[in-house]
Amino acid sequence: MPPTQTPDLIQLAPDCHVPVIWKPSNRARRLSLRIDPRRQAVSVTLPSGLSTAQAVQFLKIQKHWITKRLTALQQAPAFLPGRTIPIEGKPHTIVHHPTARSGVWIEENQICVSGAEEFISRRITDFLKKHARQILGQELRAQAQISGLCPTRLDIRDTSSRWGSCSSSGRIMLSWRLVMAPTAVRHYLIAHELAHLRHMNHAPAFWRLVDQLTPHRHHAEAWLKHHGSALLGAH
């Protein structure tokens, strides 16, 4: 079936319907699925020769994993007055100051936003992207100096499924949403991408280097497993 922009509502059990985005692929060798945080749906890559009926059977087997991840997305931080969002792992309550002229600023454990209420989400997003470039840039430079692994460039992007990546040219990409995560998680993910400057794979040598660069690997992986989806769905 051709790709569609509108998710299909697929029944996995009598009391369980989930939105599914089908992505047929001639290059894919196997069926794969991931959660799309922005659309709060399951994205399914369909290799040629595999029917959607077969894919649905696989989704039914993965029902527990799918519903757990989608439920976590519903708990994603919302950039609205009175809500609490993490910044560098610490909770901050959003407070609206409609008549102020300072844009967005942090005041103790509050993130303060001026202007009209309908612009609050966009203003906080823009603020966090700028903050991410500063904080993640500082942390990447510090780890690069210690490790001797120096990227050619840092890009801060808005990604829906990846925290970071490293290209063969040495360019590292990090998601701005990472600035909401605790320090140990940021340290691990930066170390992960720096290690790819030497090993462009996930072979044992790569993981040995990661463990040399950071003591936080296992803690961070566990944290991301439980909280990562919610941060990727923050809006």
Side-chain angles (χ1 to χ4, degrees), residues 63-206:
K63 171 180 171 290
H64 178 71
W65 181 88
I66 292 170
T67 55
K68 182 178 179 181
R69 296 303 185 278
L70 290 176
T71 299
L73 278 182
Q74 296 173 1
Q75 302 170 354
F79 300 161
L80 298 171
R83 299 292 186 92
T84 299
I85 64 172
I87 300 179
E88 298 179 53
K90 300 177 182 178
H92 288 69
T93 301
I94 297 174
V95 179
H96 185 206
H97 296 275
T99 60
R101 296 180 179 271
S102 302
V104 180
W105 70 98
I106 294 176
E107 191 173 289
E108 295 183 352
N109 62 341
Q110 296 180 343
I111 179 167
C112 304
V113 192
S114 64
E117 186 168 352
E118 60 264 32
F119 300 125
I120 288 178
S121 179
R122 178 179 59 79
R123 287 191 170 189
I124 291 178
T125 298
D126 291 344
F127 172 83
L128 290 178
K129 287 180 179 179
K130 183 178 180 180
H131 191 58
R133 181 168 295 280
Q134 177 186 354
I135 298 300
L136 299 180
Q138 291 174 351
E139 293 177 341
L140 177 65
R141 288 190 293 272
Q143 289 197 55
Q145 184 175 11
I146 293 172
S147 66
L149 298 167
C150 299
T152 59
R153 177 173 170 174
L154 170 64
D155 290 330
I156 303 297
R157 296 182 182 172
D158 188 356
T159 56
S160 61
S161 62
R162 303 179 71 180
W163 290 108
S165 65
C166 178
S167 71
S168 57
S169 64
R171 178 181 295 184
I172 285 180
M173 180 281 293
L174 296 173
S175 169
W176 68 264
R177 297 167 187 272
L178 183 54
V179 79
M180 294 187 280
T183 302
V185 176
R186 301 195 306 275
H187 194 276
Y188 160 68
L189 286 168
I190 290 173
H192 184 112
E193 301 310 331
L194 285 173
H196 276 312
L197 294 173
R198 186 173 296 171
H199 303 287
M200 292 298 293
N201 52 50
H202 290 99
F206 166 81

Side-chain angles (χ1 to χ4, degrees), residues 8-19 63 67 70:
D8 290 337
L9 199 60
I10 302 299
Q11 183 177 8
L12 302 186
D15 59 345
C16 178
H17 294 75
V18 299
K63 171 180 171 290
T67 55
L70 290 176

Side-chain angles (χ1 to χ4, degrees), residues 22 31 46-57:
W22 302 107
L31 174 73
L46 278 173
S48 58
L50 190 72
S51 68
T52 55
Q54 291 173 299
V56 169
Q57 291 304 312

